[in-house]
Amino acid sequence: MSNPLLDFSALPRFDDIRPEHVAPAIRQLIDENRALIAELVADPAPPTWANFVTPMTEEGERLGRAWGIVGHLHSVMDVPEWREAYNAMLPEVSSFYAEVGQNLELFEKYRLLHDSAEYDMLSPARQRIIDHELRDFRLSGAELPDADKPRFKEIQEEQSALAAKFSENLLDATNAHAEWIEDEAELAGLPDDAIAAARAAAERDGKPGWKFTLQMPAYLPVMQYADNRELRARMYRAYATRASEQGRPELDNGPLIGRILALRAEEAKMLGYRNFAEVSLVPKMAETPEEVLAFLRELATKAKPFAERDLAELQAFARTELDLDPLEPWDIGYASEKLRQARYAFSDQEVKQYFPEPKVLEGLFGVIRTLYGVDIVADTAPLWDPGAHFFRIDRDGATLGHFYLDLHARETKRGGAWMDSARSRYVGPRGTQTPVAYLVCNFPGPVGGKPPTFTHDDVLTLFHECGHGLHHLLTQVDDLAVSGIHGVEWDAVELPSQFMENFCWEWDVLCGMTSHVDTGAPLPRELFDKMIAAKNFQSGMQTVRQLEFSMFDLRLHSEVDASAGPVPIERVMELLDEVRREVAVMIPPPWHRFPHSFSHIFAGGYGAGYYSYKWAEVLSADAFSAFEEAGAGKGTLLDRETGERFWREILAVGGSRPALESFRAFRGREPRVDALLRHNGMVSA
């Protein structure tokens, strides 16, 4: 217990855990897992849930939790010591999991249990766990000839290392660029809080003037508000070429992309599939790459006319009102903001003043309380950063779970927003273990003694990640492998997150979560009505952009031949150009290097699965329409009865049954695409 990573008695001891604890703790846990596996496979007794699955679950959970803490700290505190500690153990952890996945004796134990009389007496959730285990063993190469297994294991280990390196290169390349402004006139158009944050950044470096980085809280205001077109162009180019051959050679992700694709193709071939996309779809709702591509193309056909109209309007406005002709990619955000202000008479910056962080959190928690009858209470626990927070979820006096909230961008924190599991719900021999989640974002921090304020997009992101968190925390499944987000098909896991975003467009929700940062006044109804009028502003362009990413990902993993070794980055860019010609309306410059920063598919588990966002958006929009129906004429969509049903049929069941079954149980029918098109304003009159 002297090593805090080996203390599973309570919450992670973030105040005690140090990089030097990682190697001894993880090695000990791997050794203990290996010893248990050796004991279990040597046991001549027929495998049962009690004598086989339970001990495997409990021992595996300890390693998973400890390594999860290490991975979390590597993400939110990517300093050299933590990076080194994580990377030093990554090959050993990857090797262990690859070794377990190929263990034929373990595979045989699960197969014997599946074929036994006990299997028929198990709950559907436990049957599903065994079915998933057998599937995952096959995908891990358990049935490969012994001569092929070492190579398959090498592939898994190298992929893990390359994914980590991809993320690190992207973070380092993002941090490597800064724009220094010394003439205040060059800041024209920028909001006061963005200028103050840039001044504070320069002061931290002991320099005069203003420092703008490629971190989102600094980058986005420049692209949206800076009148200085040259500054926008420089920032755009630096952001668009991050981690590519146009920067520092050691941070170029191009060779990593080629190698990752080759390894994935080799893995697919060894498993008997035509391509990696087929492997990726095995545990998902969608069945074939062709089915997904048809779905994406159907949406593209419906969305592209709206996108073309959006772009034509923007180009005409930029030409006549802003003297921007031609409209360049670094003008899009700026011109769009000017058009939005001209058309709807408000700006994102004006809205932002009404969303101070404390009030937003109060409103978010209020929605959750109303829908699900739970209390969210500030709690105490060791934290990795003084800006992080910790909360408890209670219902009827019982604690359902806890979550950490880390909202502010830092140079040592990877970009984006995510939810991850710190601990999962499990009922075992030692009683009930409640779930714990990490909710992480990259919003601006406080400046000048004022609380941070969020854009409406930030609020949507927070609700999105909280939706994932609720899926994990409100589970009522007792078996670890299918509780919370575990065992949920990847293309359904975004349903609860995207569902939550819809509440950010409801007046009765927003009026309870706004308070002007200076005056305390709530969001005016007139401003809200303008936001609603502008809700689907450029939704056509936004939709085809997501479809471009999804189609590029799917075709990259199903059509590009990677069997001869690393794929040249030129071939990757050629495919992206093909996809853009089919679905995009605004084509970036030839030097743009989007794939080099597409960490979702090269470092985030979304390889051949980025389409999941759109697939799940259909489910989430349709699910939300149940609340629209229940709330019709009542003045609020926060309907408790429908909320309880959503909890019972979607959130509570986790991965214990197929996602489509859960959707049908909630909605009473198959999902339909109509609600998504309607919510996005893409229904022709």
Side-chain angles (χ1 to χ4, degrees):
M1 292 288 274
S2 60
N3 188 323
L5 272 174
L6 295 172
D7 180 3
F8 302 102
S9 62
L11 295 160
R13 289 159 49 186
F14 288 115
D15 47 351
D16 295 330
I17 298 169
R18 302 286 178 268
E20 58 267 25
H21 293 133
V22 175
I26 300 303
R27 285 194 178 116
Q28 179 180 324
L29 291 166
I30 287 174
D31 289 344
E32 289 172 1
N33 271 267
R34 279 199 177 108
L36 174 73
I37 289 168
E39 184 185 321
L40 291 175
V41 298
D43 185 356
T48 65
W49 189 271
N51 74 12
F52 175 63
V53 180
T54 296
M56 277 290 291
T57 299
E58 300 214 325
E59 198 63 62
E61 197 256 352
R62 286 157 49 86
L63 173 60
R65 261 169 74 183
W67 185 240
I69 292 168
V70 177
H72 172 71
L73 289 171
H74 175 239
S75 296
V76 296
M77 263 191 345
D78 194 359
V79 293
E81 300 82 2
W82 270 109
R83 180 177 291 190
E84 189 181 327
Y86 176 81
N87 284 327
M89 286 310 297
L90 182 61
E92 293 185 43
V93 173
S94 303
S95 176
F96 169 73
Y97 282 121
E99 168 194 313
V100 171
Q102 292 184 5
N103 189 318
L104 264 185
E105 292 174 300
L106 271 183
F107 179 50
E108 181 62 13
K109 287 277 184 181
Y110 277 105
R111 200 184 60 73
L112 286 170
L113 181 51
H114 178 273
D115 294 344
S116 71
E118 184 188 3
Y119 178 85
D120 295 328
M121 294 184 283
L122 293 174
S123 67
R126 290 186 171 182
Q127 290 182 354
R128 189 164 161 82
I129 289 170
I130 292 169
D131 294 345
H132 282 180
E133 288 288 351
L134 293 173
R135 175 199 72 196
D136 294 344
F137 270 108
R138 293 185 180 105
L139 291 177
S140 298
E143 295 182 313
L144 291 174
D146 286 345
D148 291 347
K149 285 184 177 178
R151 175 61 195 145
F152 195 87
K153 189 162 170 261
E154 285 170 12
I155 291 171
Q156 306 309 309
E157 291 167 23
E158 190 178 349
Q159 285 194 64
S160 296
L162 289 170
K165 183 65 177 162
F166 189 100
S167 284
E168 289 166 4
N169 284 353
L170 184 55
L171 179 63
D172 291 348
T174 301
N175 288 335
H177 184 89
E179 290 288 334
W180 294 90
I181 304 293
E182 295 197 4
D183 179 359
E184 193 166 359
E186 292 187 42
L187 305 175
L190 281 165
D192 291 343
D193 58 353
I195 293 172
R199 179 74 202 100
E203 284 175 351
R204 282 195 296 274
D205 286 359
K207 293 187 178 180
W210 297 266
K211 178 187 180 184
F212 292 92
T213 70
L214 299 181
Q215 299 279 356
M216 275 295 124
Y219 176 75
L220 280 180
V222 170
M223 301 313 295
Q224 207 167 355
Y225 297 105
D227 295 333
N228 185 337
R229 195 183 193 191
E230 286 187 12
L231 173 63
R232 295 200 311 269
R234 290 199 306 272
M235 291 279 277
Y236 176 89
R237 182 157 195 152
Y239 191 81
T241 57
R242 288 176 304 156
S244 76
E245 81 285 358
Q246 296 172 50
R248 284 163 44 188
E250 70 274 18
L251 300 181
D252 181 9
N253 275 339
L256 273 59
I257 290 170
R259 184 69 183 147
I260 288 168
L261 292 172
L263 290 169
R264 288 175 177 173
E266 188 180 353
E267 174 188 339
K269 188 177 179 185
M270 290 180 79
L271 292 171
Y273 292 93
R274 290 180 303 164
N275 51 61
F276 182 75
E278 290 188 345
V279 177
S280 171
L281 291 180
V282 173
K284 295 182 171 72
M285 290 174 74
E287 293 189 356
T288 65
E290 292 76 17
E291 179 190 359
V292 176
L293 203 55
F295 162 74
L296 294 173
R297 284 190 162 129
E298 181 192 357
L299 269 184
T301 301
K302 290 175 176 169
K304 194 168 182 181
F306 292 93
E308 288 167 338
R309 185 191 66 191
D310 290 343
L311 182 61
E313 287 174 352
L314 186 64
Q315 287 170 327
F317 175 82
R319 184 169 54 249
T320 57
E321 301 298 323
L322 304 174
D323 199 25
L324 293 175
D325 190 22
L327 183 73
E328 300 287 3
W330 45 90
D331 300 324
I332 296 280
Y334 178 77
S336 295
E337 183 57 28
K338 295 290 187 193
L339 174 57
R340 190 209 317 261
Q341 290 179 35
R343 182 179 292 175
Y344 304 107
F346 80 96
S347 72
D348 274 358
Q349 188 60 24
E350 181 186 355
V351 171
K352 184 179 178 183
Q353 307 311 308
Y354 289 95
F355 287 108
E357 181 181 300
K359 194 70 177 174
V360 171
L361 290 179
E362 184 187 317
L364 168 64
F365 296 166
V367 169
I368 297 166
R369 284 188 193 101
T370 305
L371 287 178
Y372 307 121
V374 297
D375 289 316
I376 299 181
V377 185
D379 209 339
T380 55
L383 300 167
W384 54 89
D385 187 89
H389 302 278
F390 187 66
F391 295 92
R392 187 177 77 244
I393 299 188
D394 293 340
R395 177 159 171 164
D396 300 330
T399 295
L400 301 181
H402 294 84
F403 63 97
Y404 298 92
L405 200 58
D406 183 357
L407 295 179
H408 305 145
R410 299 185 292 275
E411 283 192 356
T412 56
K413 186 177 175 184
R414 76 172 162 92
W418 66 92
M419 171 267 159
D420 208 349
S421 163
R423 189 174 80 191
S424 301
R425 176 179 161 84
Y426 173 57
V427 178
R430 288 186 293 278
T432 300
Q433 171 178 288
T434 54
V436 182
Y438 304 115
L439 302 181
V440 186
C441 298
N442 270 282
F443 302 147
V447 177
K450 287 185 180 180
T453 53
F454 296 161
T455 65
H456 190 248
D457 276 346
D458 291 339
V459 176
L460 287 165
T461 298
L462 178 61
F463 270 63
H464 179 103
E465 298 309 332
C466 199
H468 283 308
L470 291 171
H471 200 185
H472 188 63
L473 296 166
L474 296 186
T475 189
Q476 295 182 341
V477 177
D478 297 338
D479 295 304
L480 192 77
V482 288
S483 80
I485 55 173
H486 298 299
V488 178
E489 296 95 322
W490 194 276
D491 43 3
V493 85
E494 297 294 335
L495 190 171
S497 52
Q498 291 175 163
F499 161 80
M500 277 295 285
E501 292 182 36
N502 290 285
F503 290 103
C504 300
W505 295 103
E506 296 302 314
W507 170 246
D508 61 312
V509 171
L510 287 194
C511 64
M513 61 187 291
T514 56
S515 170
H516 194 282
V517 69
D518 293 322
T519 67
L523 182 77
R525 179 72 201 220
E526 181 188 6
L527 181 52
F528 170 76
D529 289 341
K530 292 174 183 176
M531 289 168 64
I532 289 296
K535 176 183 179 222
N536 292 318
F537 177 60
Q538 296 184 343
S539 68
M541 282 169 65
Q542 289 163 12
T543 299
V544 296
R545 186 166 173 266
Q546 286 296 307
L547 292 171
E548 174 192 318
F549 299 165
S550 301
M551 287 176 68
F552 166 66
D553 167 43
L554 192 78
R555 292 186 59 192
L556 187 65
H557 287 101
S558 61
E559 296 176 21
V560 171
D561 181 12
S563 61
V567 178
I569 197 65
E570 294 78 13
R571 176 67 188 103
V572 174
M573 298 306 300
E574 274 172 26
L575 176 73
L576 183 54
D577 289 341
E578 277 179 44
V579 170
R580 284 173 173 158
R581 284 194 293 273
E582 181 178 351
V583 298
V585 292
M586 187 76 185
I587 307 294
W591 44 257
H592 197 291
R593 291 293 179 268
F594 167 70
H596 296 66
S597 60
F598 199 2
S599 52
H600 270 80
I601 71 167
F602 295 118
Y606 276 87
Y610 195 82
Y611 77 89
S612 303
Y613 284 101
K614 277 293 162 210
W615 190 277
E617 220 178 312
V618 170
L619 303 177
S620 62
D622 199 349
F624 187 73
S625 61
F627 287 80
E628 293 174 318
E629 291 157 14
K634 295 181 182 175
T636 179
L637 269 58
L638 295 173
D639 183 72
R640 177 67 177 277
E641 187 182 334
T642 313
E644 289 278 353
R645 199 157 46 81
F646 186 77
W647 182 358
R648 184 173 68 247
E649 302 294 1
I650 305 282
L651 302 177
V653 298
S656 65
R657 68 183 177 194
L660 193 56
E661 272 184 37
S662 296
F663 182 89
R664 285 195 207 106
F666 173 66
R667 209 64 185 92
R669 56 166 173 75
E670 298 291 318
R672 298 175 190 155
V673 75
D674 318 25
L676 174 62
L677 295 171
R678 178 169 52 80
H679 285 176
N680 287 341
M682 292 191 297
V683 178
S684 300

